[in-house]
Every structure is written in C-alpha cells, then in structure tokens.
Amino acid sequence: MTEATSPTPAKAGIWEDFIDIFFQPSQVFERRREGQFGLALLILVVLSTALYFALRNGLAPIMDAEMSRQAAAMLEKNPEMTAEQLATAQGFMEKVAMFGTVIFIPLGVLIGAALLWLAGRIFDAKVAFAAAMMIVTYSQLPKIVEMVLSALQGLFLEPEAITSRYSVTLGIARFLDPDTNPFVLTLIGGLDLFTIWVYVLMAIGLSIVARVPMQRAALAVAAT
C-alpha cells in the first residue's frame, strides 16, 4: 500500500499576487522568490498608464501646480528666459508627465533593484538580481493606491490648496511652504505613508527571499 501524498498547492495567479501584496506580502514574496517579475512589471506599467489617463481630471490640478512651481524656479535661475522658452519647457514637462509611467516605472524599478542587490551584499542579505527586481516591482503596488487618492484630492480640494505635488501626499511635506528649499522639500517629501509602505514591503521581501532576519533586511533597505 503506497503512502498517501498531500496534493501540491496550486500556484497563485498574478492577480492574486496583486491583492495579496496588500494583506499577506510574505506569501507573495515566498512564492515568487525565484525572481519572476516580468509579467508583474508589465502589468504595473500598463495599469499605471491606464489609471493616469483615466484620472487625468483629478491629476491635472496637481500637475499644473507642480509645473507652475518648477516654472517659477526656472525663471528665478534664468530671469532672461522668454515666455516662448518657458512655454516650450512646460510643454516638454507635460509630455514627460503624459508618458512618464512607461519610462520611469521600469527605470525606477531597475535602479531600485540594483541598489537593493548591492545593499544586500553589503549587509549579508544576498539575493539574485532577478529576485531584487521582483521585490522592488511588487513593492511599488501601493503607489497605485497613492495615484487614486491623489486624483481624488485633485478633484475635491480647493485649487489654492494645491501648490505642488507634495500638497496631496500623506506626510510632513504636505504642510511645508512650496518655496521651501528644494533639497529639503525632496528629503522631507520622502517621509510619507506610501513611500514608507514601499520600503517596508522591500524589507519584508528581502527578508523572505534572502532568508535573513527582518532587522538586517530593514538595514539593507534603509541603505538604498
């Protein structure tokens, strides 16, 4: 009589990963620890791009405020700029914003994975580069929620309340003057709920994939 064997659990689909990453991220990183990231990254880019166009009415006030802030900064540095040159620069920024998700999401994931891979080696939490790409890709999913919440604020906040992209973040930078030193604004702007959420997910992913304590993984992620 042969010994009964337990059935092999069915593999989760990609959409289950996209849901589970919000509620049980450890399971997502465990079942994808071999480094499967290609389809997830493609869906992330497509979903982000689709949402951008679907939510343009809500995102437009935020983009307009940010471009006005950047235009003022350019004029301050280059007072000789003509109105035509400024309009050209703003047109370029609009095009970058329109198609930025297609370029900047994969690029950001690639850079983030490279930094995570390097930090993992320094802190003895080594992972393959493909695994680092997987960790960073899935860790970006809270940014989808952030985009939706930002668009809702763009629709319902008074126009004068939106002075930059930081005006709709859930962090300290929301309450800073938009004319704050750009370096300080960028630094403090990273202390928001969704950025912290992304880093927490990266630490969980590194801990699961590299089989290291959470504290060590958190140190490696902080170093990125």
Short mmCIF file of all heavy atoms in Angstrom, two decimals, residues 55-103:
data_model
loop_
_atom_site.label_atom_id
_atom_site.label_comp_id
_atom_site.label_asym_id
_atom_site.label_seq_id
_atom_site.Cartn_x
_atom_site.Cartn_y
_atom_site.Cartn_z
N LEU A 55 -7.63 59.06 -14.77
CA LEU A 55 -7.73 60.00 -13.65
C LEU A 55 -7.18 61.39 -13.98
O LEU A 55 -6.89 62.17 -13.07
CB LEU A 55 -6.99 59.43 -12.43
CG LEU A 55 -7.47 58.06 -11.93
CD1 LEU A 55 -6.51 57.52 -10.86
CD2 LEU A 55 -8.88 58.16 -11.36
N ARG A 56 -7.03 61.70 -15.25
CA ARG A 56 -6.38 62.95 -15.64
C ARG A 56 -7.06 64.18 -15.07
O ARG A 56 -6.41 65.16 -14.71
CB ARG A 56 -6.30 63.06 -17.16
CG ARG A 56 -5.19 62.20 -17.76
CD ARG A 56 -4.99 62.51 -19.22
NE ARG A 56 -4.32 63.79 -19.41
CZ ARG A 56 -4.02 64.31 -20.59
NH1 ARG A 56 -4.37 63.65 -21.69
NH2 ARG A 56 -3.42 65.46 -20.70
N ASN A 57 -8.39 64.16 -14.99
CA ASN A 57 -9.09 65.34 -14.46
C ASN A 57 -8.70 65.62 -13.01
O ASN A 57 -8.59 66.78 -12.60
CB ASN A 57 -10.61 65.13 -14.55
CG ASN A 57 -11.12 65.23 -15.97
OD1 ASN A 57 -10.44 65.75 -16.85
ND2 ASN A 57 -12.30 64.70 -16.22
N GLY A 58 -8.49 64.56 -12.25
CA GLY A 58 -8.08 64.74 -10.86
C GLY A 58 -6.60 65.04 -10.71
O GLY A 58 -6.19 65.78 -9.81
N LEU A 59 -5.79 64.49 -11.60
CA LEU A 59 -4.35 64.69 -11.51
C LEU A 59 -3.91 66.02 -12.12
O LEU A 59 -2.84 66.54 -11.78
CB LEU A 59 -3.61 63.54 -12.22
CG LEU A 59 -3.78 62.15 -11.60
CD1 LEU A 59 -3.15 61.09 -12.49
CD2 LEU A 59 -3.17 62.10 -10.20
N ALA A 60 -4.73 66.58 -13.02
CA ALA A 60 -4.36 67.81 -13.72
C ALA A 60 -4.05 68.97 -12.78
O ALA A 60 -3.04 69.67 -12.98
CB ALA A 60 -5.46 68.20 -14.71
N PRO A 61 -4.87 69.25 -11.74
CA PRO A 61 -4.54 70.37 -10.85
C PRO A 61 -3.20 70.19 -10.14
O PRO A 61 -2.48 71.16 -9.90
CB PRO A 61 -5.69 70.36 -9.84
CG PRO A 61 -6.81 69.66 -10.52
CD PRO A 61 -6.16 68.63 -11.38
N ILE A 62 -2.87 68.94 -9.83
CA ILE A 62 -1.59 68.66 -9.16
C ILE A 62 -0.44 68.90 -10.14
O ILE A 62 0.57 69.54 -9.79
CB ILE A 62 -1.56 67.21 -8.65
CG1 ILE A 62 -2.75 66.97 -7.71
CG2 ILE A 62 -0.24 66.91 -7.94
CD1 ILE A 62 -3.02 65.51 -7.43
N MET A 63 -0.58 68.42 -11.36
CA MET A 63 0.45 68.63 -12.36
C MET A 63 0.63 70.10 -12.69
O MET A 63 1.76 70.58 -12.84
CB MET A 63 0.10 67.85 -13.63
CG MET A 63 0.16 66.33 -13.48
SD MET A 63 -0.51 65.48 -14.93
CE MET A 63 0.44 66.28 -16.23
N ASP A 64 -0.50 70.82 -12.80
CA ASP A 64 -0.43 72.25 -13.10
C ASP A 64 0.31 73.01 -11.99
O ASP A 64 1.15 73.88 -12.27
CB ASP A 64 -1.83 72.83 -13.27
CG ASP A 64 -2.51 72.34 -14.53
OD1 ASP A 64 -1.81 71.81 -15.41
OD2 ASP A 64 -3.76 72.47 -14.64
N ALA A 65 -0.01 72.66 -10.74
CA ALA A 65 0.65 73.32 -9.61
C ALA A 65 2.14 73.01 -9.59
O ALA A 65 2.97 73.90 -9.35
CB ALA A 65 -0.01 72.88 -8.30
N GLU A 66 2.49 71.76 -9.88
CA GLU A 66 3.90 71.37 -9.87
C GLU A 66 4.66 72.04 -10.99
O GLU A 66 5.78 72.52 -10.81
CB GLU A 66 4.01 69.85 -9.97
CG GLU A 66 5.41 69.31 -9.85
CD GLU A 66 6.06 69.57 -8.51
OE1 GLU A 66 5.33 69.77 -7.51
OE2 GLU A 66 7.31 69.59 -8.45
N MET A 67 4.05 72.12 -12.18
CA MET A 67 4.72 72.77 -13.31
C MET A 67 4.87 74.27 -13.09
O MET A 67 5.88 74.87 -13.47
CB MET A 67 3.96 72.48 -14.61
CG MET A 67 4.20 71.07 -15.12
SD MET A 67 3.61 70.77 -16.81
CE MET A 67 1.84 70.69 -16.49
N SER A 68 3.87 74.87 -12.44
CA SER A 68 3.97 76.31 -12.12
C SER A 68 5.10 76.55 -11.13
O SER A 68 5.85 77.52 -11.26
CB SER A 68 2.65 76.80 -11.51
OG SER A 68 1.61 76.73 -12.46
N ARG A 69 5.24 75.63 -10.17
CA ARG A 69 6.32 75.76 -9.19
C ARG A 69 7.68 75.62 -9.86
O ARG A 69 8.61 76.38 -9.60
CB ARG A 69 6.15 74.70 -8.10
CG ARG A 69 7.10 74.83 -6.92
CD ARG A 69 6.77 73.80 -5.85
NE ARG A 69 7.13 72.46 -6.26
CZ ARG A 69 8.34 71.91 -6.06
NH1 ARG A 69 9.28 72.62 -5.45
NH2 ARG A 69 8.60 70.69 -6.45
N GLN A 70 7.79 74.65 -10.76
CA GLN A 70 9.06 74.44 -11.46
C GLN A 70 9.35 75.58 -12.43
O GLN A 70 10.51 75.97 -12.60
CB GLN A 70 9.02 73.10 -12.19
CG GLN A 70 8.99 71.90 -11.25
CD GLN A 70 9.03 70.58 -12.00
OE1 GLN A 70 9.36 70.52 -13.17
NE2 GLN A 70 8.69 69.51 -11.31
N ALA A 71 8.30 76.13 -13.05
CA ALA A 71 8.49 77.26 -13.96
C ALA A 71 9.01 78.47 -13.20
O ALA A 71 9.91 79.19 -13.67
CB ALA A 71 7.19 77.59 -14.67
N ALA A 72 8.46 78.69 -12.00
CA ALA A 72 8.92 79.81 -11.17
C ALA A 72 10.38 79.62 -10.78
O ALA A 72 11.16 80.58 -10.77
CB ALA A 72 8.04 79.92 -9.94
N ALA A 73 10.75 78.37 -10.48
CA ALA A 73 12.14 78.09 -10.12
C ALA A 73 13.07 78.32 -11.30
O ALA A 73 14.18 78.86 -11.15
CB ALA A 73 12.26 76.65 -9.63
N MET A 74 12.62 77.95 -12.51
CA MET A 74 13.44 78.18 -13.71
C MET A 74 13.62 79.66 -13.99
O MET A 74 14.71 80.10 -14.36
CB MET A 74 12.80 77.48 -14.91
CG MET A 74 13.00 75.98 -14.94
SD MET A 74 12.53 75.21 -16.53
CE MET A 74 10.76 75.43 -16.50
N LEU A 75 12.55 80.41 -13.80
CA LEU A 75 12.63 81.86 -14.03
C LEU A 75 13.55 82.53 -13.02
O LEU A 75 14.26 83.48 -13.34
CB LEU A 75 11.23 82.48 -13.95
CG LEU A 75 10.37 82.35 -15.21
CD1 LEU A 75 8.97 82.88 -14.94
CD2 LEU A 75 11.00 83.10 -16.38
N GLU A 76 13.55 82.01 -11.80
CA GLU A 76 14.42 82.58 -10.77
C GLU A 76 15.89 82.34 -11.10
O GLU A 76 16.73 83.20 -10.90
CB GLU A 76 14.07 81.96 -9.41
CG GLU A 76 14.84 82.58 -8.26
CD GLU A 76 14.43 82.01 -6.91
OE1 GLU A 76 13.44 81.25 -6.86
OE2 GLU A 76 15.11 82.31 -5.92
N LYS A 77 16.18 81.14 -11.65
CA LYS A 77 17.56 80.81 -12.00
C LYS A 77 17.96 81.45 -13.34
O LYS A 77 19.13 81.77 -13.55
CB LYS A 77 17.73 79.29 -12.09
CG LYS A 77 17.66 78.58 -10.75
CD LYS A 77 17.89 77.09 -10.93
CE LYS A 77 17.85 76.37 -9.60
NZ LYS A 77 18.04 74.90 -9.75
N ASN A 78 16.97 81.58 -14.24
CA ASN A 78 17.26 82.13 -15.57
C ASN A 78 16.27 83.25 -15.89
O ASN A 78 15.33 83.05 -16.67
CB ASN A 78 17.16 81.03 -16.63
CG ASN A 78 18.04 79.84 -16.33
OD1 ASN A 78 19.25 79.88 -16.51
ND2 ASN A 78 17.41 78.76 -15.86
N PRO A 79 16.46 84.42 -15.28
CA PRO A 79 15.50 85.52 -15.47
C PRO A 79 15.42 86.01 -16.92
O PRO A 79 14.47 86.69 -17.29
CB PRO A 79 16.03 86.62 -14.55
CG PRO A 79 17.45 86.26 -14.27
CD PRO A 79 17.53 84.78 -14.35
N GLU A 80 16.40 85.63 -17.74
CA GLU A 80 16.39 86.08 -19.14
C GLU A 80 15.50 85.20 -20.02
O GLU A 80 15.33 85.48 -21.21
CB GLU A 80 17.82 86.08 -19.71
CG GLU A 80 18.45 84.71 -19.95
CD GLU A 80 18.98 84.06 -18.67
OE1 GLU A 80 18.88 84.70 -17.60
OE2 GLU A 80 19.49 82.93 -18.76
N MET A 81 14.91 84.15 -19.46
CA MET A 81 14.03 83.28 -20.25
C MET A 81 12.84 84.04 -20.79
O MET A 81 12.20 84.82 -20.07
CB MET A 81 13.53 82.10 -19.39
CG MET A 81 14.52 80.98 -19.21
SD MET A 81 13.76 79.54 -18.36
CE MET A 81 12.72 78.90 -19.67
N THR A 82 12.52 83.79 -22.04
CA THR A 82 11.36 84.44 -22.65
C THR A 82 10.10 83.60 -22.38
O THR A 82 10.20 82.43 -21.99
CB THR A 82 11.55 84.58 -24.16
OG1 THR A 82 11.61 83.26 -24.75
CG2 THR A 82 12.83 85.33 -24.47
N ALA A 83 8.94 84.20 -22.61
CA ALA A 83 7.67 83.50 -22.42
C ALA A 83 7.59 82.29 -23.36
O ALA A 83 7.06 81.24 -23.00
CB ALA A 83 6.51 84.44 -22.67
N GLU A 84 8.16 82.45 -24.55
CA GLU A 84 8.14 81.35 -25.52
C GLU A 84 9.00 80.18 -25.05
O GLU A 84 8.59 79.01 -25.16
CB GLU A 84 8.65 81.85 -26.87
CG GLU A 84 8.57 80.80 -27.99
CD GLU A 84 9.01 81.35 -29.33
OE1 GLU A 84 8.65 82.50 -29.64
OE2 GLU A 84 9.72 80.62 -30.05
N GLN A 85 10.17 80.49 -24.51
CA GLN A 85 11.04 79.43 -23.99
C GLN A 85 10.39 78.72 -22.80
O GLN A 85 10.48 77.50 -22.67
CB GLN A 85 12.38 80.03 -23.57
CG GLN A 85 13.25 80.48 -24.73
CD GLN A 85 14.50 81.21 -24.26
OE1 GLN A 85 14.47 81.97 -23.27
NE2 GLN A 85 15.61 81.00 -24.95
N LEU A 86 9.73 79.49 -21.96
CA LEU A 86 9.07 78.92 -20.79
C LEU A 86 7.91 78.01 -21.24
O LEU A 86 7.73 76.92 -20.69
CB LEU A 86 8.54 80.03 -19.89
CG LEU A 86 7.97 79.59 -18.53
CD1 LEU A 86 9.01 78.84 -17.71
CD2 LEU A 86 7.45 80.80 -17.76
N ALA A 87 7.17 78.45 -22.24
CA ALA A 87 6.05 77.64 -22.75
C ALA A 87 6.57 76.33 -23.36
O ALA A 87 5.95 75.27 -23.20
CB ALA A 87 5.27 78.43 -23.79
N THR A 88 7.71 76.41 -24.04
CA THR A 88 8.32 75.21 -24.62
C THR A 88 8.73 74.23 -23.53
O THR A 88 8.49 73.02 -23.64
CB THR A 88 9.55 75.58 -25.47
OG1 THR A 88 9.14 76.47 -26.52
CG2 THR A 88 10.19 74.34 -26.08
N ALA A 89 9.33 74.78 -22.46
CA ALA A 89 9.75 73.93 -21.34
C ALA A 89 8.55 73.28 -20.67
O ALA A 89 8.58 72.10 -20.31
CB ALA A 89 10.54 74.76 -20.33
N GLN A 90 7.47 74.04 -20.51
CA GLN A 90 6.28 73.48 -19.88
C GLN A 90 5.63 72.42 -20.77
O GLN A 90 5.13 71.41 -20.27
CB GLN A 90 5.28 74.61 -19.59
CG GLN A 90 5.69 75.50 -18.42
CD GLN A 90 4.69 76.59 -18.14
OE1 GLN A 90 4.23 77.28 -19.06
NE2 GLN A 90 4.33 76.76 -16.88
N GLY A 91 5.66 72.64 -22.08
CA GLY A 91 5.13 71.64 -23.00
C GLY A 91 5.91 70.34 -22.92
O GLY A 91 5.33 69.25 -22.96
N PHE A 92 7.23 70.47 -22.77
CA PHE A 92 8.07 69.28 -22.64
C PHE A 92 7.73 68.54 -21.34
O PHE A 92 7.63 67.30 -21.33
CB PHE A 92 9.54 69.68 -22.66
CG PHE A 92 10.48 68.53 -22.40
CD1 PHE A 92 10.73 67.58 -23.39
CD2 PHE A 92 11.11 68.39 -21.18
CE1 PHE A 92 11.58 66.51 -23.16
CE2 PHE A 92 11.97 67.33 -20.93
CZ PHE A 92 12.20 66.39 -21.93
N MET A 93 7.54 69.29 -20.25
CA MET A 93 7.21 68.67 -18.97
C MET A 93 5.87 67.95 -19.03
O MET A 93 5.69 66.89 -18.44
CB MET A 93 7.21 69.72 -17.85
CG MET A 93 8.60 70.19 -17.44
SD MET A 93 8.60 71.22 -15.95
CE MET A 93 7.89 72.74 -16.58
N GLU A 94 4.92 68.52 -19.79
CA GLU A 94 3.61 67.88 -19.94
C GLU A 94 3.73 66.55 -20.67
O GLU A 94 3.09 65.56 -20.30
CB GLU A 94 2.67 68.81 -20.70
CG GLU A 94 2.19 70.01 -19.87
CD GLU A 94 1.31 70.94 -20.69
OE1 GLU A 94 1.04 70.62 -21.87
OE2 GLU A 94 0.91 71.98 -20.15
N LYS A 95 4.56 66.53 -21.72
CA LYS A 95 4.75 65.28 -22.47
C LYS A 95 5.44 64.23 -21.61
O LYS A 95 5.10 63.04 -21.67
CB LYS A 95 5.57 65.55 -23.73
CG LYS A 95 4.81 66.35 -24.79
CD LYS A 95 5.66 66.62 -26.00
CE LYS A 95 4.90 67.45 -27.03
NZ LYS A 95 5.72 67.79 -28.21
N VAL A 96 6.42 64.66 -20.81
CA VAL A 96 7.11 63.73 -19.93
C VAL A 96 6.12 63.14 -18.92
O VAL A 96 6.12 61.94 -18.65
CB VAL A 96 8.27 64.44 -19.20
CG1 VAL A 96 8.81 63.56 -18.07
CG2 VAL A 96 9.39 64.76 -20.18
N ALA A 97 5.26 64.00 -18.37
CA ALA A 97 4.27 63.53 -17.41
C ALA A 97 3.29 62.57 -18.06
O ALA A 97 2.87 61.58 -17.45
CB ALA A 97 3.52 64.72 -16.82
N MET A 98 2.94 62.83 -19.32
CA MET A 98 1.94 62.01 -20.01
C MET A 98 2.45 60.59 -20.25
O MET A 98 1.71 59.62 -20.09
CB MET A 98 1.57 62.67 -21.34
CG MET A 98 0.41 62.00 -22.06
SD MET A 98 -0.07 62.89 -23.56
CE MET A 98 -0.59 64.47 -22.86
N PHE A 99 3.70 60.47 -20.64
CA PHE A 99 4.24 59.15 -20.98
C PHE A 99 5.30 58.69 -19.98
O PHE A 99 5.99 57.69 -20.23
CB PHE A 99 4.82 59.17 -22.40
CG PHE A 99 3.81 59.52 -23.45
CD1 PHE A 99 3.77 60.80 -24.00
CD2 PHE A 99 2.87 58.60 -23.86
CE1 PHE A 99 2.83 61.13 -24.98
CE2 PHE A 99 1.92 58.92 -24.82
CZ PHE A 99 1.90 60.18 -25.38
N GLY A 100 5.41 59.40 -18.87
CA GLY A 100 6.46 59.10 -17.90
C GLY A 100 6.35 57.72 -17.28
O GLY A 100 7.36 57.09 -16.97
N THR A 101 5.10 57.22 -17.10
CA THR A 101 4.95 55.91 -16.46
C THR A 101 5.62 54.81 -17.27
O THR A 101 6.17 53.87 -16.70
CB THR A 101 3.46 55.58 -16.28
OG1 THR A 101 2.78 55.70 -17.54
CG2 THR A 101 2.80 56.50 -15.28
N VAL A 102 5.56 54.93 -18.59
CA VAL A 102 6.13 53.89 -19.45
C VAL A 102 7.65 53.85 -19.32
O VAL A 102 8.27 52.79 -19.43
CB VAL A 102 5.73 54.14 -20.92
CG1 VAL A 102 6.36 53.11 -21.84
CG2 VAL A 102 4.21 54.12 -21.05
N ILE A 103 8.25 55.01 -19.07
CA ILE A 103 9.71 55.10 -18.99
C ILE A 103 10.20 55.00 -17.55
O ILE A 103 11.09 54.21 -17.23
CB ILE A 103 10.19 56.43 -19.61
CG1 ILE A 103 9.77 56.51 -21.08
CG2 ILE A 103 11.70 56.57 -19.46
CD1 ILE A 103 10.00 57.86 -21.71
#
